[in-house]
């Protein structure tokens, strides 16, 4: 008997995290399967299909090619799970709805009795619509580029209480884009975004700024995957495994970001963290020197601080959207509020604290001859606004690195408070 095929079926899957999720659920054979539309019919006749997940843009396209479709999936109008039964029939289900319920419940987003605006009209939108109906939403509005409810006439739905993004806008590598300005929904009470990379899309960063309950799509992705595994192999999976897989992925993918006063030891601690974790350490000041082709003192002397800050922000944006990195930031990165979103979108931010008398000033343009106490007093509110945690670095850098890694391991899946 040939080995059975398990995997994710889609068109462009370079951004997908499905393989590590299914591996964590015990399916080591799971892989990514990229196909063009014309290749679908022949592929889905293969007798060695074990179990497949289906993603954009094929959640509806595969339905005519299935032999048996679960009634609930049929009523939703899209499927995401396929299994070849022993009798040869290709059967389909939709586990996305249960994943959507898990995402909303975990975030504390209540749909019952609320007006729900769903951005996008594709296969995932159908899932969100079905979930909102099942939860007893008072009103459901689907917004698309064309039709009665479009992005041009959003004003008619300013009373939306829940906003759900089912489009790929804001997904890596185009992080930073938002399909709407959340300010257009002044009474919004919760936001759900099916995008999961980066962890915090531009839409979710807006929700966080308003202290709204919100979630990215990773909880949904994990839950629908374990539900699909149950269909693949005909076995139940402990519900607690979803949280274990989610925590594992958060720790694996999120960046560790170091901020703090010039000379507080960010580079030394970052190097120690790289050795401890096996992650790549990216020193943004070193990257600035590479791009500018000159030292930082030379940039300040020849081009001025604004030119330096512009480069700093550009690189914070570039590296902030990456995953599994240790990002070492310059002392003044907090001076530009835009950098917070760049660093926070996919990272947990640590401020290193060190006694002022221990801070060196050589080679640091803004520290030389400066009143460090005054600088610290000016910047402390900015550091406080950026940071997720404060880490004392008056001892050995290796001890600081160890403490940060233990905190990161324990808290990388926690929501910002």
């Amino acid at each position: 008997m040939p080995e059975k095929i398990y995997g994710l079926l889609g068109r462009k899957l370079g951004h997908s995290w499905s393989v590590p999720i299914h591996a964590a659920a015990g399916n080591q054979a799971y892989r990514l399967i990229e196909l063009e539309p014309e290749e679908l019919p022949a592929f889905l006749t293969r007798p060695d299909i074990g179990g497949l997940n289906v993603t954009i843009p094929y959640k509806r396209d595969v339905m005519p090619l299935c032999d048996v479709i679960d009634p609930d999936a049929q009523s939703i109008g899209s499927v995401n799970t396929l299994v070849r039964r022993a009798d040869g029939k290709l059967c389909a289900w939709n586990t996305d709805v249960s994943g959507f319920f898990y995402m909303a419940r975990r975030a504390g987003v209540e749909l019952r009795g609320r007006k729900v605006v769903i951005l996008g009209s594709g296969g995932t939108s159908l899932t969100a619509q079905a979930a909102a109906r099942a939860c007893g939403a008072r009103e459901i509005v689907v917004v698309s580029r064309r039709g009665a409810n479009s992005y041009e006439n959003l004003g008619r739905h300013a009373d939306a209480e829940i906003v759900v993004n089912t489009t790929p806008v804001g997904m890596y590598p185009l992080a930073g884009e938002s399909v709407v300005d959340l300010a257009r929904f002044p009474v919004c009470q919760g936001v759900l975004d099916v995008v999961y990379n980066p962890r915090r899309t531009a839409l979710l960063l807006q929700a966080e700024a308003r202290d709204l309950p919100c979630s990215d799509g990773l909880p949904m992705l994990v839950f629908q995957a374990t539900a699909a595994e149950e269909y693949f192999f005909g076995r139940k999976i402990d519900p607690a495994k979803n949280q274990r897989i989610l925590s594992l992925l958060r720790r694996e993918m999120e960046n560790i970001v170091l901020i703090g006063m010039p000379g507080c030891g960010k580079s030394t601690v970052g190097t120690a963290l790289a050795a401890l974790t096996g992650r790549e350490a990216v020193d943004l000041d070193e990257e600035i020197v590479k791009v500018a082709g000159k030292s930082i003192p030379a940039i300040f002397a020849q081009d001025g601080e604004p030119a330096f800050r512009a480069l700093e922000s550009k690189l914070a944006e570039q590296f902030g959207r990456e995953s599994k990195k240790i990002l070492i930031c310059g002392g003044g990165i907090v001076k530009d509020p835009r950098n917070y979103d760049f660093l926070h979108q996919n990272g947990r931010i640590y401020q290193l604290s060190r006694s002022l008398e221990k801070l060196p000033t050589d080679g640091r343009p803004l520290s030389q001859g400066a009143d460090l106490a005054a600088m610290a007093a000016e910047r402390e509110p900015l550091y406080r606004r950026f940071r997720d945690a404060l880490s004392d670095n008056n001892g050995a850098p290796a001890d600081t690195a160890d403490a940060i890694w233990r905190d990161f391991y324990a808290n990388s899946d926690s929501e910002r408070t």
Side-chain angles (χ1 to χ4, degrees):
M1 289 286 292
E3 290 189 7
K4 290 188 175 182
I5 297 172
Y6 296 95
L8 176 65
L9 182 61
R11 194 170 188 183
K12 301 294 181 184
L13 302 174
H15 65 279
S16 175
W17 290 2
S18 290
V19 170
I21 291 173
H22 285 266
N27 188 346
Q28 303 300 324
Y30 197 91
R31 59 189 176 88
L32 301 180
I33 304 168
E34 293 186 342
L35 296 178
E36 292 300 314
E38 63 272 15
E39 297 176 290
L40 280 178
F43 182 83
L44 291 179
T45 64
R46 292 185 58 151
D48 54 348
I49 289 174
L52 300 172
N53 287 120
V54 185
T55 189
I56 297 170
Y58 297 141
K59 292 187 177 188
R60 287 181 284 188
D61 294 353
V62 300
M63 294 179 73
L65 305 173
C66 296
D67 300 303
V68 180
I69 299 177
D70 175 74
D72 288 339
Q74 191 74 261
S75 66
I76 293 167
S78 72
V79 301
N80 78 314
T81 301
L82 307 178
V83 173
R84 177 79 70 201
R85 287 194 324 208
D87 63 4
K89 293 186 180 297
L90 188 65
C91 303
W93 295 265
N94 188 311
T95 65
D96 279 335
V97 172
S98 57
F100 190 95
F101 290 151
Y102 178 72
M103 170 180 62
R105 183 172 64 250
R106 189 175 181 276
V109 173
E110 177 61 62
L111 281 72
R112 181 174 299 280
R114 304 286 175 81
K115 178 172 180 174
V116 179
V117 165
I118 298 170
L119 307 174
S121 55
T124 306
S125 174
L126 296 175
T127 294
Q129 293 170 51
R133 285 194 299 270
C135 288
R138 184 181 81 255
E139 182 181 353
I140 301 169
V141 176
V142 178
V143 177
S144 59
R145 285 172 292 183
R146 293 173 292 277
N149 297 300
S150 68
Y151 296 103
E152 281 69 41
N153 59 27
L154 269 182
R156 67 172 67 173
H157 302 298
D159 59 340
E161 295 161 290
I162 304 296
V163 175
V164 181
N165 177 43
T166 67
T167 78
V169 176
M171 181 185 293
Y172 178 89
L174 300 178
E177 298 182 6
S178 180
V179 67
V180 294
D181 184 347
L182 200 58
R184 303 188 73 172
F185 306 107
V187 298
C188 182
Q189 299 173 36
V191 178
L192 300 170
D193 195 331
V194 301
V195 172
Y196 56 88
N197 183 16
R199 179 179 180 180
R200 302 171 186 90
T201 61
L203 181 65
L204 292 181
L205 287 167
Q206 294 177 65
E208 276 196 0
R210 286 170 54 175
D211 291 324
L212 299 177
C214 58
S215 178
D216 67 314
L218 190 58
M220 176 179 171
L221 184 70
V222 169
F223 195 95
Q224 66 80 27
T226 58
E229 286 284 324
E230 293 183 341
Y231 285 114
F232 292 173
F233 298 104
R235 58 182 172 85
K236 297 298 291 182
I237 294 177
D238 181 357
K241 196 163 191 175
N242 290 292
Q243 180 57 47
R244 292 197 293 271
I245 295 173
L246 183 58
S247 297
L248 174 68
L249 287 172
R250 294 291 198 209
R251 288 193 296 267
E252 178 69 17
M253 300 300 179
E254 198 163 18
N255 295 322
I256 298 174
V257 183
L258 304 181
I259 64 172
M261 282 286 286
C264 70
K266 299 183 294 291
S267 294
T268 307
V269 171
T271 300
L273 272 167
L276 179 66
T277 65
R279 292 176 171 224
E280 178 189 4
V282 177
D283 189 314
L284 294 189
D285 278 354
E286 292 180 1
E287 296 299 322
I288 290 170
V289 170
K290 291 178 187 176
V291 171
K294 62 181 81 171
S295 68
I296 290 175
I299 297 172
F300 271 82
Q302 298 169 19
D303 307 315
E305 184 177 358
F308 174 84
R309 296 299 173 202
L311 271 176
E312 185 175 54
S313 288
K314 180 180 179 180
L315 289 163
E317 181 179 17
Q318 175 185 331
F319 287 102
R321 66 169 66 106
E322 299 296 329
S323 299
K324 300 188 287 186
K325 298 285 192 294
I326 296 165
L327 301 183
I328 303 165
C329 302
I333 199 164
V334 295
K335 295 178 70 174
D336 187 335
R338 295 176 303 169
N339 294 334
Y340 173 74
D341 285 357
F342 298 151
L343 299 174
H344 183 56
Q345 65 180 323
N346 228 15
R348 182 166 172 82
I349 304 174
Y350 291 85
Q351 178 194 351
L352 298 192
S353 174
R354 196 176 190 187
S355 300
L356 291 181
E357 60 271 16
K358 295 182 179 180
L359 302 182
T361 60
D362 289 348
R364 305 174 191 276
L366 295 183
S367 296
Q368 287 180 328
D371 183 341
L372 290 182
M375 180 188 290
E378 176 191 356
R379 291 184 179 179
E380 183 55 33
L382 305 179
Y383 290 134
R384 192 180 307 120
R385 187 234 186 260
F386 269 57
R387 75 188 184 210
D388 291 294
L390 180 65
S391 186
D392 182 89
N393 191 36
N394 282 294
D399 293 339
T400 305
D402 183 67
I404 289 173
W405 181 237
R406 283 187 280 107
D407 176 90
F408 182 79
Y409 194 90
N411 294 296
S412 59
D413 189 38
S414 64
E415 299 300 328
R416 186 94 183 243
T417 57

